[in-house]
Amino acid sequence: MSDATIELRNLRTYFPIRGGVVRAVDDVSFSVKRGKVLGLVGESGSGKSVTGFSIVRLVDPPGQIAGGSILFQGHDLARLSEAEMRGLRGSRIAMIFQDPMMTLNPVLRIDTQMIETVLAHDRVSHAEARARCRDALGQVGIASPEERLRAYPHQFSGGMRQRVAIAISMLHRPDLIIADEPTTALDVTIQAQILFEVQKLVATFGTALIWITHDLSVVAGLADDIAVMYAGRIVEAGAVGDVLNNPAHPYTHGLLASVPGRNRRGTRLRQIPGMTPSLLDPEPGCAFRTRCFRADPMCSADPPVIQPAAGRTARCFFPIQDVVA
Amino acid sequence: MSAMIELRGVSRHFGPTPDIAARLTARAFAAIGKPARDTTVRAIDAVDLTIARGEVVGVVGESGCGKSTLGRIAAGILAPTAGTVLWQGRDIVMLSAGETRAARLRTQMIFQNPYASLNPRLRIETIVGEAPRVHGLIPPGGFSDYVDAQLRRAGLDPAYKRRYPHQFSGGQRQRIGIARALAVRPDILVCDEAVAALDVSIQAQIINLFMDLREELGLTYLFISHDLGIVEHIADRVVILYLGRVVEEAGCEEIFARANHPYTRALLAEVPRIAGGKKAFAGIKGEIPSPIDPPSGCHFHPRCPHALRRCAFEIPTLREIAPGHRSACHLNS
Ligand SMILES: Nc1ncnc2c1ncn2[C@@H]1O[C@H](COP(=O)(O)OP(=O)(O)OP(=O)(O)O)[C@@H](O)[C@H]1O
Ligand SMILES: Nc1ncnc2c1ncn2[C@@H]1O[C@H](COP(=O)(O)OP(=O)(O)OP(=O)(O)O)[C@@H](O)[C@H]1O
Ligand code: SF4
Ligand code: SF4
Ligand SMILES: [Mg+2]
Ligand SMILES: [Mg+2]
C-alpha cells in the first residue's frame, strides 16, 4: 500500500460529442502524499479542470470516466455510491472551482450558504457555525467579514468571490483539496495571505493539495512536485525545482521561455509557435510534434515515458539532454 | 495627444443590501431615532483618469479596490454616482441615443469572469459573429470566414465554433470573450484581467496580438491586471488604485524604477519569482481596510510603515512629484 492520499492510475475522461470523442484526459497518473502539494500546470484546454472534476466525480455529462482508477486513501472513488461520494465531497475532499459561481448560489446570502456548509457535516450551534464562517472570511483577507457575510455574491468583486470559495473549501479541514486556478484574479498581497493559510492547513492537518494554476512562480513557491499537462496527458513531472530549472520536455521549455519577466519590455513575447492540437479523436504520436523544435519523423509514434533523471518523468523521444547531467 | 476617455472626479458607491432584514433593521433604528449602520461600499472615490488615443494604461491594485468598477465606468456600461465621463472630449450623458450606441460599440470590454460573461445558450459563432453582422462589418456571404478568422486570431480552433460555452475550458472561454470584443473592431479595449486564465504561452500570443493591433490600428487600452510582469511589459502608463482612490500614477518605466508611494513599493517588493524556490508565505500584517468603513485620512495608514501622525486624519492629495509622475503621500510635502 502506498501512503498517498490521492493516487490516479491511467485516468481517462472522454466527452462523446457529435463527430467523435474528445479525449480531455488521456492516461493520467500521479499521486499526492499526505501534507504534500502537487502543482498541476499546462496549456489552456489540456485537461487540468477535467482531471479535477473526475476526482470529485462531477464530470459534465455526456462526459465520463472511460478508464483507470482514482484511489483516495486507498479506496477507489469510482466504486462509491453517489450518496457516499456526497458524504466525502465538501468534508474530506474539497474542490475550489475555476468558476467560483459553481460553489456559490447567486440568490442566497453568503452567510446562508456558508453556515449550511458547516452544518451539513458538523454538529455545532448556529452561532458557532456563524463565528467559524466569519473567521474563515477573515483568513482569506476579506475586510469587514461581519458585514460581508450579509451580502450576496453579485456584490463581491471577482477576487472576493474566489476567496469566499477558498474559505468554504477550508471549512472542514479536508484531507484533499483540489484548487483550480484559485488565485487567478488576486493581487500578490492577498495571494500571499491565502498561500500562508493554505500552507498552515497543509502543515497542521496533513491536507494533500492539488494546485492547478498558470502561475509558475506560485508553483515554485508552494508546491513540492509539479506535473505539466499537454493535450490530455502529463508530459513531464518531478520535483518542482528540478523541472522548472531544467525542463526536459520541449513543451515545458517553451512555456518557461514565454514568461514576461524573461522577455525584454515592449518587445514581442516569445510564444510556442503553432496551435493547440484538437483533442477530438487525436491521431497517434506525440501531440506536440507540429510545434516542437526537436521533432523527428520518429515522433509520429507514441512517445514513451522515460526517466531523464531520478524522480523525474517525461513523455518524449528526445528530451532536452542537459538535464541528465 | 487627444483624450480618448477622460474621467473627472468619478465616484461609484454601492448602496447597502436591499433585503428585507436590512430594511426592517433600518426601520427599527429609524423608530428609535437612530440611523442604521451605514454599509455603503465606496468602490470608486473621486478618481481622475485620462486615457490618450493609442495609449495603454495599466491599472493595478488589491482585490476589491475598485478596478472592475472603474473599467465598467470607462467602458460606459456602469454609470458613476458622481463625476463626469468624457468620451472623445464629450460628456457621455450629453450624447444622443445613436451616438451612445456608437460609443458603446467602439468601446469593448473583456470581462474578468469568462464563465459569467458568455450566454450559455448561444453557439460560439453567434457569440462572436452576431454583433459585427448586425453592424454591417461583415461582407455578404462572409460570415463563416469572418468568424473563423476572429477565432483563429484568439488562438481557438474554428472547428469548435458550433459548440456552446460550457464545452470549453476556462482559458478557452476567456479567448472567446477576447474574440468577441475584437470582432466589432473597437477603438478602445477595456481588458479586465483578460489574460489571467491563460497559460503563459497563449498569454504571450494574446499580448502580442494586442501589441500588433495597437501598431496597426492605434487601439487604446485600459489594461487591468494583477500581474505586474505583464503590466510592465505592455503598459505606457500605470495607475495604482488603493481602496477606490488613485494613489500613484506614472510612466511605466518610471513607476517600476522609482515607485514613490509606500503602497506601490510594498506591492513591487512582493512580486513572486520563479527562481525563488519553495518558501513560507507571510500573511498580511494588520487590519485589512474595508471600503465599507475605510480608514480616515490616508486609506493606507493602518498598514503603512512610514505613517505620520497627520496621515490618520488628513487625506493626501495626488500631486506631481516629477514630470508625469503623481503620488498621494504626505511624505512628499
Ligand atoms: N462538456 C464538454 N464537452 C466537450 N468538450 C469539453 C467539455 N468540457 C471540456 N471539454 C474539453 O476538454 C478539454 C479539457 O478541458 P479542461 O477544462 O480540463 O482544460 P484546462 O486544462 O482546465 O484548461 P484551462 O487552463 O483553460 O482552464 C478542453 O479542450 C475542452 O474543450
Ligand atoms: N453590484 C455591487 N453591489 C455592491 N457592491 C459592489 C458591487 N459591485 C462591486 N461592489 C463592491 O465594490 C468594491 C470594488 O469591486 P470591484 O469589482 O471593482 O473590485 P476589483 O478591484 O475589480 O477586485 P478584484 O481584483 O477582486 O476583481 C468591492 O468592495 C465590491 O464588493
Ligand atoms: S516526442 Fe518528439 S515531438 Fe514530442 S516533444 Fe519529444 S521531441 Fe518533441
Ligand atoms: S500618506 Fe502617510 S500613511 Fe499614506 S502612504 Fe504616505 S506616509 Fe503612508
Ligand atoms: Mg481549467
Ligand atoms: Mg475585478
Side-chain angles (χ1 to χ4, degrees):
Chain A
M1 267 313 318
S2 75
D3 53 350
T5 297
I6 183 80
E7 184 175 355
L8 264 53
R9 290 190 193 150
N10 312 103
L11 177 71
R12 291 168 203 278
T13 305
Y14 295 169
F15 292 90
I17 61 167
R18 220 158 19 119
V21 174
V22 176
R23 299 193 182 195
V25 176
D26 200 7
D27 192 19
V28 163
S29 304
F30 62 71
S31 71
V32 190
K33 290 198 176 102
R34 220 178 155 265
K36 293 288 176 194
V37 183
L38 172 74
L40 187 57
V41 306
E43 174 151 89
S44 169
S46 63
K48 303 180 296 294
S49 298
V50 173
T51 301
F53 291 145
S54 306
I55 297 173
V56 293
R57 288 213 347 223
L58 290 175
V59 178
D60 219 9
Q64 56 172 339
I65 296 177
S69 51
I70 302 169
L71 303 176
F72 173 67
Q73 296 173 338
H75 304 286
D76 192 346
L77 291 181
R79 300 241 181 100
L80 298 186
S81 69
E82 195 42 55
E84 287 170 315
M85 196 63 214
R86 255 199 311 274
L88 281 183
R89 237 182 319 202
S91 66
R92 300 327 325 145
I93 305 178
M95 180 150 177
I96 303 166
F97 297 100
Q98 195 170 4
D99 173 14
M101 291 314 286
M102 265 185 85
T103 307
L104 301 174
N105 185 328
V107 302
L108 294 180
R109 278 182 8 185
I110 300 293
D111 52 1
T112 317
Q113 338 198 5
M114 286 187 81
I115 291 169
E116 190 180 301
T117 312
V118 173
L119 296 178
H121 301 282
D122 277 350
R123 279 174 205 287
V124 293
S125 72
H126 194 272
E128 207 173 310
R130 188 182 179 88
R132 220 155 105 186
C133 298
R134 190 192 50 226
D135 294 347
L137 285 191
Q139 280 173 355
V140 292
I142 290 185
S144 306
E146 191 59 59
E147 285 81 11
R148 293 293 195 174
L149 269 177
R150 285 193 293 272
Y152 290 88
H154 79 267
Q155 298 174 310
F156 279 26
S157 76
M160 287 163 72
R161 270 178 232 151
Q162 254 184 341
R163 286 183 273 156
V164 175
I166 295 173
I168 290 178
S169 79
M170 305 208 299
L171 281 173
H172 291 286
R173 297 171 185 144
D175 299 320
L176 171 66
I177 296 182
I178 303 150
D180 194 357
E181 302 283 1
T183 59
T184 34
L186 300 182
D187 58 281
V188 287
T189 334
I190 302 276
Q191 175 169 281
Q193 164 71 25
I194 284 174
L195 297 178
F196 166 73
E197 292 294 340
V198 162
Q199 280 183 328
K200 210 160 68 182
L201 191 75
V202 167
T204 319
F205 299 100
T207 303
L209 202 62
I210 300 173
W211 198 265
I212 301 173
T213 184
H214 292 305
D215 192 331
L216 298 170
S217 57
V218 168
V219 174
L222 179 72
D224 300 288
D225 296 310
I226 185 173
V228 184
M229 284 189 81
Y230 186 81
R233 297 191 159 162
I234 290 181
V235 294
E236 172 154 22
V240 168
D242 296 349
V243 172
L244 292 184
N245 293 330
N246 280 313
H249 196 280
Y251 172 68
T252 318
H253 181 269
L255 197 63
L256 282 162
S258 309
V259 173
R262 300 185 176 189
N263 287 263
R264 214 157 46 80
R265 195 185 112 71
T267 57
R268 287 180 70 80
L269 291 164
R270 246 171 297 170
Q271 64 187 64
I272 300 171
M275 271 219 337
T276 310
S278 169
L279 299 179
L280 191 65
D281 300 320
E283 288 168 23
C286 176
F288 192 55
R289 68 179 183 280
T290 54
R291 310 171 69 184
C292 179
F293 65 96
R294 295 172 79 87
D296 176 277
M298 202 168 152
C299 303
S300 50
D302 271 335
V305 177
I306 52 124
Q307 294 207 332
R312 297 185 58 173
T313 59
R315 205 187 267 266
C316 178
F317 283 111
F318 308 104
I320 297 165
Q321 286 301 320
D322 33 325
V323 298
V324 185
Chain B
M1 270 198 305
S2 60
M4 204 68 187
I5 297 182
E6 192 178 341
L7 309 187
R8 286 192 193 152
V10 162
S11 298
R12 173 71 211 203
H13 295 176
F14 292 102
T17 332
D19 70 354
I20 299 170
R23 258 179 282 151
L24 288 179
T25 330
R27 208 179 301 161
F29 273 104
I32 55 170
K34 274 197 216 163
R37 200 127 109 76
D38 181 11
T39 55
T40 300
V41 176
R42 290 169 177 78
I44 286 291
D45 198 8
V47 166
D48 294 320
L49 177 70
T50 307
I51 310 168
R53 189 183 293 276
E55 195 181 23
V56 182
V57 176
V59 178
V60 172
E62 215 156 69
S63 170
C65 73
K67 302 180 296 296
S68 298
T69 306
L70 184 71
R72 285 158 66 206
I73 293 172
I77 52 181
L78 182 73
T81 36
T84 321
V85 181
L86 304 179
W87 192 78
Q88 301 197 340
R90 298 176 57 204
D91 188 336
I92 53 164
V93 298
M94 309 296 273
L95 299 181
S96 70
E99 288 171 322
T100 303
R101 236 176 297 126
R104 287 266 176 87
L105 189 68
R106 314 245 45 89
T107 314
Q108 287 292 311
M109 180 152 182
I110 299 166
F111 294 92
Q112 184 172 6
N113 184 342
Y115 289 89
S117 54
L118 304 176
N119 185 334
R121 278 177 293 275
L122 298 183
R123 292 182 198 278
I124 301 315
E125 59 183 359
T126 313
I127 291 175
V128 172
E130 189 60 10
R133 191 187 61 76
V134 168
H135 291 98
L137 296 172
I138 305 179
F143 184 80
S144 197
D145 288 345
Y146 192 83
V147 169
D148 290 3
Q150 302 303 317
L151 291 176
R152 218 173 279 120
R153 194 157 73 157
L156 290 164
D157 189 342
Y160 298 154
K161 69 182 172 184
R162 299 192 59 77
R163 293 198 201 166
Y164 293 93
H166 78 272
Q167 295 175 302
F168 290 86
S169 78
Q172 289 168 337
R173 284 185 230 206
Q174 188 154 55
R175 284 175 274 160
I176 295 166
I178 292 169
R180 172 180 61 184
L182 291 177
V184 295
R185 301 188 196 153
D187 297 326
I188 309 168
L189 212 50
V190 177
C191 304
D192 191 358
E193 301 288 359
V195 293
L198 305 177
D199 66 80
V200 283
S201 173
I202 291 180
Q203 191 173 285
Q205 181 184 344
I206 299 292
I207 296 289
N208 289 340
L209 170 66
F210 285 165
M211 296 205 296
D212 290 347
L213 291 174
R214 181 190 182 192
E215 293 268 292
E216 291 160 24
L217 310 169
L219 236 64
T220 304
Y221 296 85
L222 184 64
F223 198 87
I224 300 167
S225 174
H226 72 283
D227 189 327
L228 295 167
I230 294 177
V231 171
E232 183 172 11
H233 194 86
I234 194 175
D236 299 316
R237 204 149 54 82
V238 180
V239 172
I240 312 281
L241 272 187
Y242 189 78
L243 225 59
R245 292 184 189 155
V246 174
V247 295
E248 186 164 7
E249 187 187 338
C252 188
E253 278 170 78
E254 169 82 4
I255 214 159
F256 281 95
R258 278 174 296 280
N260 173 271
H261 197 277
Y263 172 65
T264 314
R265 279 192 269 163
L267 197 68
L268 294 180
E270 278 187 72
V271 177
R273 304 257 171 241
I274 295 179
K278 194 162 175 171
K279 64 171 195 180
F281 289 93
I284 292 174
K285 284 171 216 75
E287 190 71 6
I288 298 162
S290 162
I292 292 178
D293 185 15
S296 55
C298 172
H299 283 345
F300 191 54
H301 85 261
R303 284 162 76 184
C304 181
H306 313 290
L308 314 165
R309 203 174 307 126
R310 62 194 281 217
C311 299
F313 48 87
E314 214 179 301
I315 300 176
T317 47
L318 195 59
R319 293 189 321 147
E320 188 147 82
I321 53 163
H325 189 161
R326 303 198 296 158
S327 174
C329 174
H330 290 311
L331 292 178
N332 296 321
S333 54

